[in-house]
Amino acid sequence: MTNGFETRQYIAFKLGEEEFAFDIASVKEIFPTQNITKVHRSPEYIEGVMNLRGRLVTVIDLRKRFRLEAAAADENSRIIVIDSRDAPVGFLVDEVTEVAKIGADSIEPVPAYVAEGIESEYVLGIAKIEERLITLVDPMKILELSSDDARTNGGGSVGDSPGR
Amino acid sequence: MSDEIDLAKYTKLFVAEAREYLRTLNKAMVEFESRPDDTDMVEVMFRACHTDKGMAGMMNLTPISETAHALEDLLNSVRERKIKPEGEVAELIYRCLDTLEEMITSVERAEELSEVPGLNDDLRDAARGGRRRKKKKGAAVKAVREKTLKTSPPAKRTVLFIRFSRRCSFPAARSFVILKEVARAATIHGTVPSEEEIDKEHVFEELSITLEPEKGFDETVRRIASMLDIDEIKVGEEGVPVDRWKRIVAAKPSAPQAVDLPAAQTIKVGMNKLDELLDDVSELVIARSRLVEKTTSHDDRELTDITSHIDKLTSEIQAKVLGIRMIQIESVMARFPRMIRDIAKNQGKEIEFTVDGGSIELDRTVIDKISDPIMHVLRNCVDHGIESKKERKKTKKRIRGHIRVVASKQQDHVLIEISDDGRGIDYDTIREKAVDAGLLTREQADDALARDLMELLFHPGFSTKKEVSQVSGRGVGLDVVRRAVEDLGGSVMISSSKGAGTTFSLWLPFTLAIIDAMLVSIADQTYAVPMGMIAESHRFQTSEVKTIRTREVVQLRGEVIPLIRMRSFFGIPEANDRSTLSALVVQSRERRAALAVDDLMAHQQIVVKSLDDHLRRVRGVSGGTILGSGRIALILDVDSILEA
């Protein structure tokens, strides 16, 4: 607690030069990139599936999800696994920078304009720490919107008859 | 033992069993009503009713056992041809079955049970058909019992000995109820078998309780004596030879001999235990393939022997575990005859319902999930399909409509066809509806083909029935049916001809858990193709590939089949330098195609894992599996590939 404001812990990570963070409470595990199996014909932002102790876990490329410039994964890349409502989901990020303690007093509300490509719905606020600006994102919100997408866009089979 | 937990456990068991017997009763009654000469049906009902009564008695659920008893008497009169199960009597039986169902629901919800006033008397009146007979006999028995009980047990350290009849299916549950009774009127010092053993449900036929009787013990012994499934009760003092103990109950007077069911050599196991077992077996199957892979790279004779032994045992265990989970389709069907009868009666229709192939087995998870879809389809048949008696008469059809369920095995699927001989689907009505609902424009509707119109029936909120009825016609149903069946990896098809009826075909997988598959590679990734979909594998020369219009085809023994290159299906560039193509000839229902892959790798059993919401709708893959190496192989969804 600082000055009576609540301080929470966040997992800060980078996508290109920009810094983002998830509330630590929503993060289950962090892995170095391992074998990710590509799923062809899936929505573009889905990197593939990985084997998490016998479960198939979908990995979402957060760069693509935020419509940032694509980049190949390297040794710094990490998969942040979030425990979502029905199944864990992984987010591929460029680099996990730190566990940041951020007080509520240093979080600014979302400005009317937001970083290009990032729908304002995901963004909880912008934290200012010294010279750094960290965008706080709600991973659950990203998932909600992603599944809706997958259902409407990727769901070519919905309207087709199975009987033909 | 902890009372609440145990009671809850047995209550659950009782509710499940009692429901099963009620379904049997309902089904048999509907059949019996249509074929009153079929005395086998009365036997079936009588037996089910008797068992139901016994179980309720065991649980001390007196209102249920009393009503079941009264129904048993009535059925006995029917069996002896004293009365006929028609009209009012039939209605009374149905009313009684409904009441029992309600009571069982109350038990499930742990509500207070109460008798429905008058019902038991009505049943007994109907059973007597005017004569008074049973009552007297019952009273006589009671008198004998009371007389025996006058010789009260001594008031020191006493042993209460109880021998259960062999029919008693859960002596443990019974003992539990008895101990609870006894504890109210005595201090219990010990039991044989011990409470712990009872709790573990060991099979036993005898129970001894060492106790110090208190006030009301006589009454308690009398209550125990009136429970079912007890052959003998003796009360004696510790140390006194057993043959000098007092016998309270010699034999049970009530149950007729004819219904003596053979003691079933079965045990009950919770479904969750089977699920856990299956999970473990799945892990074992994966570990086994890792072991096999590792072994082949070691030149060690002994290791090879051990591995092949483990390999064989794993296969056997797996087959048995999957086998245990299989349930006959019949078990879902049992609840429908009554439902159909009631809806039909309500709508002034007469319908015969038959099931063929009910003995075909499906995995429990599949069975659980198709029950509701089948119910929706059947309701649809009754409501939309079969015409009113008047209408059928006018079109010179048999007055009584027929709904038929036929289950059959097809390759690796089970096909359940549900047909009615009703009015069939009127395409013009669908066209009108579609235009009204704004789903199609007038031109689109006029041009639409039959299969596109059928497709509309699966559209949420679409119903052809003019008015909304209580049964269906709200547009809920067919879309739900399709979703449920597709979630299982199956599909639904409708065919119909106007005036002659409609058939719903549900294609379902036998099991969801472990399947045989061929591993193939496509662009450095491994995929699994279910063996059930594969007709054969074949290597084609690239020169054999021909093009008909824009589609590539190959010939196999004179048959022309489409060629689907999996690389291009997945949007991956083709490898150009190949002179041959490895292909799997796959088949789904009537459609065949050759799937060109990079390589065929191995035949293996795989544990099917589902993909999450983000990937469930992706075409071409239906799930995945984890290989021995820990890598993932996606499972090709042959159905959706063939549709492309």
Side-chain angles (χ1 to χ4, degrees):
Chain A
M1 296 288 227
T2 48
N3 312 328
F5 287 108
E6 194 193 355
T7 303
R8 297 175 72 99
Q9 290 192 311
Y10 292 83
I11 299 282
F13 57 88
K14 275 188 162 176
L15 298 174
E17 291 308 307
E18 284 182 62
E19 254 192 297
F20 298 86
F22 289 153
D23 189 330
I24 203 168
S26 57
V27 175
K28 202 177 162 209
E29 299 173 78
I30 298 172
F31 290 99
T33 47
Q34 44 160 321
N35 290 318
I36 296 176
T37 305
K38 177 93 188 132
V39 182
H40 298 284
R41 299 184 77 139
S42 61
E44 202 231 353
Y45 59 84
I46 290 179
E47 181 69 11
V49 282
M50 67 176 212
N51 171 7
L52 181 67
R53 288 182 293 275
R55 280 186 87 160
L56 302 185
V57 171
T58 302
V59 180
I60 291 173
D61 183 338
L62 214 48
R63 265 179 178 266
K64 288 185 186 153
R65 188 71 196 92
F66 287 171
R67 301 199 187 95
L68 303 170
E69 199 185 323
D74 58 24
E75 72 274 13
N76 286 328
S77 305
R78 293 288 179 275
I79 295 165
I80 303 177
V81 177
I82 303 291
D83 218 352
S84 88
R85 197 154 27 87
D86 11 87
V89 173
F91 288 105
L92 178 65
V93 301
D94 287 0
E95 183 185 349
V96 171
T97 47
E98 64 171 329
V99 177
K101 282 187 184 163
I102 302 174
D105 57 334
S106 49
I107 299 176
E108 307 257 302
V110 191
Y113 63 95
V114 271
E116 196 188 334
I118 300 170
E119 285 87 341
S120 54
E121 288 141 289
Y122 314 151
V123 180
L124 299 169
I126 311 267
K128 270 188 197 159
I129 304 174
E130 290 154 21
E131 293 306 296
R132 293 157 66 196
L133 286 178
I134 302 178
T135 310
L136 307 181
V137 205
D138 180 354
M140 299 304 173
K141 208 76 199 177
I142 302 174
L143 291 179
E144 255 172 57
L145 297 165
S146 303
S147 324
D148 288 352
D149 261 22
R151 232 167 256 135
T152 47
N153 299 339
S157 66
V158 184
D160 290 24
S161 155
R164 278 177 248 157
Chain B
M1 62 188 149
S2 58
D3 293 7
E4 288 75 22
I5 294 166
D6 277 34
L7 195 59
K9 188 163 103 192
Y10 293 119
T11 303
K12 243 166 113 181
L13 206 60
F14 167 76
V15 168
E17 292 231 327
R19 286 235 166 92
E20 224 168 283
Y21 282 113
L22 269 186
R23 273 202 285 274
T24 309
L25 274 163
N26 268 308
K27 183 170 173 257
M29 184 59 203
V30 173
E31 256 173 72
F32 186 49
E33 209 184 2
S34 60
R35 293 198 306 272
D37 298 328
D38 192 344
T39 47
D40 283 355
M41 282 301 129
V42 198
E43 286 302 327
V44 170
M45 290 170 72
F46 191 83
R47 243 174 279 150
C49 185
H50 181 71
T51 316
D52 216 14
K53 179 186 79 176
M55 287 190 313
M58 195 172 78
M59 298 293 294
N60 258 3
L61 300 167
T62 321
I64 295 183
S65 59
E66 296 263 304
T67 299
H69 189 120
L71 177 61
E72 193 182 319
D73 286 350
L74 175 59
L75 290 171
N76 195 40
S77 299
V78 173
R79 188 163 68 161
E80 289 170 1
R81 292 173 188 276
K82 290 197 180 92
I83 52 169
K84 283 187 180 163
E86 309 163 331
E88 273 176 36
V89 175
E91 287 310 318
L92 182 62
I93 292 175
Y94 284 124
R95 182 153 68 92
C96 173
L97 295 179
D98 291 342
T99 305
L100 286 170
E101 175 73 48
E102 280 161 24
M103 285 176 167
I104 289 161
T105 306
S106 301
V107 172
E108 190 177 28
R109 293 185 189 145
E111 292 166 0
E112 194 69 28
L113 271 185
S114 56
E115 273 179 49
V116 172
L119 176 64
N120 293 356
D121 291 335
D122 288 351
L123 286 166
R124 278 188 214 104
D125 285 346
R128 253 180 263 123
R131 275 163 294 166
R132 291 183 156 267
R133 210 166 43 80
K134 299 253 160 185
K135 197 96 183 175
K136 235 178 176 176
K137 199 173 153 201
V141 172
K142 217 171 191 174
V144 171
R145 247 187 230 166
E146 263 155 31
K147 200 173 159 198
T148 331
L149 281 166
K150 288 254 160 63
T151 52
S152 39
K156 270 190 267 162
R157 211 172 230 217
T158 305
V159 178
L160 178 64
F161 170 87
I162 294 154
R163 190 156 56 79
F164 297 109
S165 91
R166 251 179 243 153
R167 266 204 315 273
C168 179
S169 29
F170 322 102
R174 169 64 103 197
S175 303
F176 173 71
V177 173
I178 291 173
L179 285 173
K180 249 183 107 170
E181 281 286 322
V182 171
R184 273 190 221 154
T187 311
I188 297 175
H189 291 290
T191 64
V192 180
S194 72
E195 291 196 14
E196 205 175 41
E197 283 168 324
I198 295 172
D199 200 27
K200 284 189 189 140
E201 297 186 52
H202 287 287
V203 176
F204 54 88
E205 285 179 13
E206 297 172 353
L207 171 71
S208 312
I209 309 168
T210 313
L211 50 85
E212 235 165 288
E214 287 156 15
K215 211 173 132 245
F217 184 65
D218 288 7
E219 175 57 34
T220 299
V221 175
R222 192 175 306 137
R223 258 207 302 277
I224 294 171
S226 70
M227 291 178 183
L228 273 157
D229 286 339
I230 291 177
D231 275 359
E232 195 177 19
I233 295 181
K234 287 191 222 172
V235 180
E237 263 176 77
E238 243 180 345
V240 176
V242 177
D243 53 7
R244 273 198 258 150
W245 288 11
K246 285 175 189 104
R247 280 173 89 174
I248 310 285
V249 176
K252 275 276 148 187
S254 70
Q257 292 305 307
V259 295
D260 234 337
L261 294 168
Q265 294 290 318
T266 55
I267 55 161
K268 289 192 180 295
V269 182
M271 200 53 210
N272 58 334
K273 285 187 186 167
L274 285 185
D275 285 342
E276 283 166 21
L277 186 60
L278 184 67
D279 282 345
D280 290 344
V281 170
S282 305
E283 295 296 316
L284 182 64
V285 168
I286 293 172
R288 186 248 325 247
S289 41
R290 289 179 65 178
L291 181 65
V292 171
E293 253 171 58
K294 203 84 194 159
T295 305
T296 46
S297 62
H298 286 67
D299 189 18
D300 183 334
R301 184 67 198 276
E302 204 182 345
L303 179 64
T304 310
D305 281 353
I306 297 171
T307 301
S308 86
H309 192 201
I310 289 180
D311 185 20
K312 197 169 148 247
L313 286 175
T314 307
S315 303
E316 277 171 22
I317 293 172
Q318 182 195 321
K320 280 173 191 161
V321 169
L322 289 176
I324 291 171
R325 297 169 53 89
M326 298 299 258
I327 297 176
Q328 295 192 346
I329 290 174
E330 184 70 41
S331 68
V332 240
M333 295 299 166
R335 59 190 268 219
F336 298 132
R338 172 72 196 275
M339 178 194 90
I340 290 172
R341 176 202 175 265
D342 287 358
I343 304 173
K345 195 153 192 196
N346 225 340
Q347 300 184 354
K349 295 175 182 176
E350 207 178 303
I351 296 175
E352 185 185 353
F353 177 63
T354 58
V355 178
D356 292 322
S359 63
I360 288 175
E361 292 180 323
L362 286 171
D363 189 274
R364 175 67 188 234
T365 40
V366 180
I367 289 274
D368 282 350
K369 287 179 184 154
I370 56 160
S371 175
D372 282 352
I374 290 179
M375 182 186 77
H376 281 303
V377 172
L378 286 172
R379 286 185 162 186
N380 235 283
C381 291
V382 179
D383 205 35
H384 296 288
I386 304 285
E387 312 90 329
S388 66
K389 286 186 200 171
K390 218 165 102 193
E391 204 178 323
R392 289 183 74 92
K393 203 168 189 172
K394 217 162 58 190
T395 49
K396 298 207 169 72
K397 278 186 172 177
R398 205 164 60 121
I399 299 293
R400 174 188 267 190
H402 188 184
I403 295 176
R404 201 171 159 208
V405 176
V406 181
S408 57
K409 288 185 189 177
Q410 312 272 331
Q411 289 181 63
D412 67 337
H413 276 73
V414 168
L415 170 62
I416 299 179
E417 288 172 297
I418 302 167
S419 18
D420 66 58
D421 64 349
R423 58 172 74 91
I425 291 173
D426 184 346
Y427 296 111
D428 289 335
T429 313
I430 302 181
R431 286 193 173 95
E432 292 309 312
K433 274 275 171 182
V435 174
D436 285 353
L439 295 169
L440 296 179
T441 63
R442 173 56 64 189
E443 294 77 54
Q444 280 173 327
D446 290 342
D447 290 347
L449 298 170
R451 68 175 190 199
D452 298 325
L453 293 170
M454 289 289 194
E455 192 57 33
L456 285 172
L457 295 177
F458 291 110
H459 196 280
F462 189 87
S463 172
T464 56
K465 189 85 182 189
K466 297 244 159 59
E467 303 139 47
V468 170
S469 80
Q470 238 195 340
V471 185
S472 49
R474 254 180 245 276
V476 279
L478 292 186
D479 61 317
V480 176
V481 171
R482 169 185 276 185
R483 206 175 319 131
V485 172
E486 285 186 353
D487 279 353
L488 286 169
S491 58
V492 192
M493 211 162 82
I494 308 180
S495 61
S496 176
S497 59
K498 198 177 169 184
T502 306
T503 299
F504 290 81
S505 307
L506 313 187
W507 299 77
L508 300 162
F510 283 110
T511 178
L512 301 173
I514 299 177
I515 59 169
D516 264 337
M518 177 67 94
L519 299 183
V520 300
S521 77
I522 302 165
D524 294 327
Q525 256 184 227
T526 305
Y527 290 85
V529 186
M531 281 308 263
M533 311 301 274
I534 302 175
E536 61 185 292
S537 63
H538 196 85
R539 193 175 284 272
F540 294 100
Q541 300 295 320
T542 32
S543 57
E544 289 180 75
V545 181
K546 302 275 183 287
T547 305
I548 295 182
R549 263 166 272 158
T550 58
R551 304 203 70 164
E552 287 188 308
V553 296
V554 284
Q555 281 197 43
L556 189 63
R557 290 185 293 278
E559 184 191 356
V560 176
I561 44 180
L563 175 77
I564 299 172
R565 293 176 188 259
M566 286 314 295
R567 273 178 178 255
S568 63
F569 180 86
F570 284 138
I572 308 165
E574 290 294 327
N576 289 324
D577 51 344
R578 292 179 160 240
S579 58
T580 59
L581 284 175
S582 296
L584 289 175
V585 179
V586 292
Q587 180 160 12
S588 170
R589 280 159 266 156
E590 285 79 41
R591 288 173 300 180
R592 270 158 89 90
L595 304 186
V597 298
D598 290 4
D599 267 308
L600 305 180
M601 295 160 74
H603 169 208
Q604 194 176 306
Q605 284 195 315
I606 58 164
V607 179
V608 179
K609 310 241 176 199
S610 57
L611 296 167
D612 71 13
D613 264 1
H614 301 276
L615 297 172
R616 198 161 287 153
R617 288 295 188 181
V618 173
R619 306 195 77 184
V621 295
S622 60
T625 188
I626 291 163
L627 301 173
S629 60
R631 282 179 164 263
I632 296 170
L634 296 171
I635 299 169
L636 292 187
D637 180 12
V638 172
D639 269 331
S640 74
I641 294 170
L642 291 187
E643 269 166 39

